[in-house]
Amino acid sequence: MILTSRHLAGATLISVSGEVDTTTSAELECYIDQVRRRLDEHLIVDVSRLTFMDSSGLAVLLAAAALARVHGVALHVAGLQPSPARLLEITGARQAMVVHDDVEQAIAAAQRAAAFPARLIAPPGDGSFLREG
């Protein structure tokens, strides 16, 4: 697994290459914790070069998504490949994050959301949050 990061206005971008499984998921979790400047900034994870992810990697992404939601922001996932995309679909985890076709779309969406923050209101039944504003 190869991890890189970049700080953007209102967001942190993390790129993940290779495989995330039980032997590497803790490293991913630590990396996310170390590179985020603030918890109230959007987190973008570029997975366009992620070839495999098991349930331990999914748990890391779901924890990051939950933490982001608590702080009024989102986890943006970009460039899902077939194997990780299938895992998100069959588990229903895709609903917990904002999925984009590519990293450019994710960056644009996160920066728009950061520029025009909305107040979060009661979550609907699917676990996402409604925005007011």
Side-chain angles (χ1 to χ4, degrees), residues 11-32:
T12 298
L13 168 64
I14 296 174
S15 297
V16 184
S17 300
E19 298 184 356
V20 178
D21 57 25
T22 57
T23 62
T24 58
S25 60
E27 181 184 349
L28 174 60
E29 184 175 30
C30 288
Y31 190 80
I32 290 171

Side-chain angles (χ1 to χ4, degrees), residues 78-90:
L80 277 171
Q81 296 303 303
S83 177
R86 175 130 172 81
L87 179 62
L88 267 62
E89 284 297 326
I90 63 174

Side-chain angles (χ1 to χ4, degrees), residues 6-13 37 41-44 73-74 76 100 103-117:
R6 194 170 97 204
H7 295 289
L8 309 166
T12 298
L13 168 64
R37 291 177 298 198
E41 286 188 328
H42 292 266
L43 179 61
I44 304 165
V73 293
H76 299 261
H100 304 275
V103 73
E104 290 80 16
Q105 289 177 354
I107 291 170
Q111 289 183 330
R112 270 193 313 274
F116 301 102

Side-chain angles (χ1 to χ4, degrees), residues 34-129:
Q34 290 172 355
V35 300
R36 288 185 84 179
R37 291 177 298 198
R38 298 172 46 155
L39 294 175
D40 62 350
E41 286 188 328
H42 292 266
L43 179 61
I44 304 165
V45 181
D46 176 6
V47 293
S48 60
R49 291 179 301 268
L50 179 68
T51 56
F52 176 80
M53 179 173 62
D54 71 3
S55 61
S56 64
L58 178 59
V60 170
L61 292 183
L62 289 173
L67 184 60
R69 257 194 323 276
V70 166
H71 291 277
V73 293
L75 169 66
H76 299 261
V77 176
L80 277 171
Q81 296 303 303
S83 177
R86 175 130 172 81
L87 179 62
L88 267 62
E89 284 297 326
I90 63 174
T91 60
R94 186 179 175 122
Q95 296 175 354
M97 52 199 78
V98 183
V99 177
H100 304 275
D101 290 338
D102 58 51
V103 73
E104 290 80 16
Q105 289 177 354
I107 291 170
Q111 289 183 330
R112 270 193 313 274
F116 301 102
R119 187 170 62 87
L120 294 175
I121 57 176
D126 67 1
S128 61
F129 283 80

